[in-house]
Amino acid sequence: MTELSASAEATPADAPVVSVRGLKKSFGGVEVIKDVSFEVSQGQVLSILGPSGSGKTTMLRCINALERPDSGLITVDGVSLDYGKGKPRYRDILAQRRKTAMVFQHYNLFKNKTVLHNVTEGLAVVQRKNKQEAEAIAGEALEAVGMSGLEDRFPMHLSGGQQQRVSIARALALNPSVILFDEPTSALDPERVNEVLRTMKDIASRGVTMIVVTHEIRFARAVSDTVIFMDGGRIVEKGAPDKVIDHPQTDRLREFLNSLASREFE
Amino acid sequence: MNLDVDFMLSDLPTVFAALPSTLLLSLDSMFWALVFALICGGAQLARIPVLDKVTLVINTFIKGIPLVVQLLFCYYAVPYAVKWFDALVGRTYDPRHLPYFGAAVLALALNFGAYITDVVISSTRAVDRGQWESAYACGMTRFQALRRVVAPQVIVISLPNMTNYFIWLLKGTSLASIVNVTEMLTTARLSASDGYQFLEAYIDAAIIYWIVCAVIEWASGRLYRSAGRYLVAPNGATAQ
Amino acid sequence: METPLQILSKVVPGIISHIPQTLLYWFLPSVLALALGSLLCWARVTNRRNPLYWICTVVISFFRGTPGIVQIYIVFFGLPKLIWAIGYDVSDWTAGVYFIIATTLNLSCFMAETLRGGYLALDRGQVEAGLSIGFSRVQNFVHVIAPQTLKVALLNIKNLEIDVLKDTSVAYTIGAVEIMGYANRMIALRSGLGQLWILGAAAVIYFVMCAVLEIAFNLMVRRISRYEEVAR
């Protein structure tokens, strides 16, 4: 059964920033990802759609090694981890994590640190920047997400939308090769979803490479360069957003698109 | 009922003067108990093979033995331990300066360490998995994540339980009076033995313990509310 | 010079023969404290203008804020004087009675707080359901409130009971004889490492008793939870 739909994929001129080949993962005997491969080029936005249980979140988490695949080759900006050849070294895992940054569904801001320190933490501890430099970068990142002025607040005292934007600033400040978004708006109240989606659109327009797992179809259609539809652990359709979303080739994708209630974006 | 109130008033300062030794014994024991608990808790949390089962067995055993038995055991073991150690190091054995205080600290530290291990483990597990994950996603090592993000939260979360055990430990130091250690109860008993006013002396001691425990509980509550303010959203919710 | 085995063979039977004494010092206070603790708990959940609430709060604070051994001494020296003031002479009471009284008072205060925790965690919907099907206040208490409170409090009660069992080892300080009283007597008769062996034997026996108690309580908790499943 072919995984790819008939639409054409973009052929990158340079080497891809993210490359996933032959990814397989099982949880307790159940195969959750059944041989997935794709690539993302510099500056591109890839959206991944699919019903729950399709394996899309697990796959995203394999890219920064929060989940360990059973087999597959994952390359991020030159750092390769080949899971088919036994357990990768911790040093390599760290190296790959330092090329990526993640925005979580439940924000996962460091509860015991202020907004500013949440953003500077990675810069200071991992990238060993000094305090001034870290705070300058953090300031810029917070401004980019529209959260300047709230540096001294603690995460628990912010709304979900504000927390998520700080989370995006934290990822941005690290200047990673790719930012991974794991259903970033699924835990938000409906009124807050737009502020985060707008922020993400801004980020995308700055040329940041992004992989976004989301249910927001309209966002995916408006902002992505490539859309992947996953179901049952496989990529079922893949291609340019207007092709995949407006002209679904398979029944599964058609059912999925119909079942999602449309939501206003912009 | 004739209570010698004059004696009670005059004895109060005498008993109170022994409060520092009680506090010293408590803090010393609490420190070593924490060390013991961090080792055992760390072994079980990190699932270090062999060590995690061994510490679990040791703790289970300790929790099934009365503190009195542990104190007496350490007390009677002191001369032999010291003799063995002196022979090892080449010192002469001096039966007049035996470390009975240290023996009491050992017994108290092991006893409470076993209970505090559970607090360490449950408090660490109470920290949301997402805190670890986002630290890793930023590229932090396990140690960095622990030190900078998780451990500070564990300390705050464990504060109420730790206070309870510390108060329990403070009360437990009174049993050290059985094994030749000078603290408040020993002092109270000694001060009363001339005139047989034991009841009055013990009531004095009880009052001082009561006040000290109440103060510790109040202070800890204040500390928890201020340090833990980042754990609670303004509307009172603690979930994300 | 006795070998450890000789010491143990003499002392262990003696220790075991004192187990009933220890169990008595554990059982009586447990039962009495459940009753007294329930009363104190009730006083603590009534409204704050009731003077009983404040009296009980102070009493509970005292027994939880002072060491057990000090409470035992105060009861031992003070209770006779108190009763003497009313006109009775109790100089022929055995030390064990004072130990039981002191332990009961102490345990009641801890029980009260534990029960209160269980009561506050009660699902209000259950109480209302009981009233709505026509239970009187008493029936509602017996069939809805009490069992549910106990169920939640049971794990904490288990820990309290294990502590009571271990704290019987303090009784010998006022002359009430149980395992530790006997063990100490045996220790005084000997010198040398034999003392440590005797304490070790006592430790093992306490451990076994606590383990039995823990398993018994765990079974009880499981049985009560299972009843809940079936009832649904």
Side-chain angles (χ1 to χ4, degrees), chain B residues 146-157:
Chain B
L146 178 63
R147 187 168 90 78
R148 300 194 60 105
V149 177
V150 177
Q153 297 185 36
V154 171
I155 292 175
V156 173
I157 291 175

Side-chain angles (χ1 to χ4, degrees), chain A residues 61 98 108-109 113 121 156, chain B residues 131 133-134 139 148 230:
Chain A
R61 287 159 61 91
R98 288 172 182 180
N108 288 346
L109 291 177
K113 300 191 185 294
E121 192 69 5
M156 291 303 292
Chain B
Q131 300 285 297
E133 284 189 352
S134 64
R148 300 194 60 105
Y230 64 73

Side-chain angles (χ1 to χ4, degrees), chain C residues 37-47 50 52-54 56-57:
Chain C
S38 305
L39 286 174
L40 288 172
C41 173
W42 173 83
R44 285 271 285 160
V45 299
T46 57
N47 89 65
N50 190 343
L52 235 74
Y53 173 88
W54 293 107
C56 290
T57 304

Side-chain angles (χ1 to χ4, degrees), chain B residues 1-4 57 60-69 72-77 80 111 115 164 167-168 170-172 174-175 177-178 185 189 196 198-200 202-203 205-207 209-211 213-214 217, chain C residues 58-59 61-70 73-75 77-79 81-82 85 110 162-163 165-167 169-170 172-173 180 184 187-188 191-197 199-200 202-204 206-208 210:
Chain B
M1 166 138 144
N2 55 334
L3 215 53
D4 189 346
V57 168
T60 310
F61 194 56
I62 292 177
K63 284 194 273 186
I65 305 176
L67 181 55
V68 166
V69 175
L72 285 171
F73 191 89
C74 292
Y75 174 72
Y76 285 113
Y80 304 105
N111 191 24
Y115 287 101
N164 274 338
I167 290 178
W168 200 10
L170 190 93
K171 294 192 292 177
S174 58
L175 288 175
S177 61
I178 298 176
L185 195 55
R189 193 184 302 142
Y196 285 89
F198 288 113
L199 179 60
E200 288 81 355
Y202 290 142
I203 293 179
I207 292 175
Y209 276 112
W210 194 8
I211 295 176
C213 289
E217 198 148 4
Chain C
V58 171
V59 168
S61 164
F62 175 77
F63 279 99
R64 280 163 48 109
T66 54
I69 189 173
V70 176
Y73 285 159
I74 290 181
V75 167
F77 288 108
L79 199 57
K81 283 194 182 178
L82 202 63
F110 283 94
I162 293 180
D163 286 338
L165 185 57
K166 293 194 292 175
D167 288 341
S169 59
V170 183
Y172 78 92
T173 56
M180 274 320 288
N184 263 314
I187 286 175
S191 59
L193 281 173
Q195 301 171 324
L196 294 179
W197 281 102
L199 283 172
V204 168
Y206 274 112
F207 176 75
V208 169
C210 288

Side-chain angles (χ1 to χ4, degrees), chain A residues 197-213:
Chain A
L197 290 179
R198 238 171 275 140
T199 307
M200 288 167 66
K201 183 162 185 268
D202 280 340
I203 308 283
S205 65
R206 289 162 176 241
V208 176
T209 312
M210 294 162 57
I211 302 180
V212 184
V213 170

Side-chain angles (χ1 to χ4, degrees), chain B residues 19 22-24 26-27 30 159-171 173 184 208-225, chain C residues 64-65:
Chain B
L19 180 58
T22 289
L23 288 174
L24 183 65
S26 311
L27 289 166
M30 188 69 179
L159 208 52
N161 276 326
M162 286 292 187
T163 313
N164 274 338
Y165 281 114
F166 181 68
I167 290 178
W168 200 10
L169 175 59
L170 190 93
K171 294 192 292 177
T173 58
M184 275 206 292
I208 297 179
Y209 276 112
W210 194 8
I211 295 176
V212 171
C213 289
V215 167
I216 294 176
E217 198 148 4
W218 170 84
S220 167
R222 286 287 304 267
L223 185 64
Y224 182 69
R225 269 190 293 276
Chain C
R64 280 163 48 109

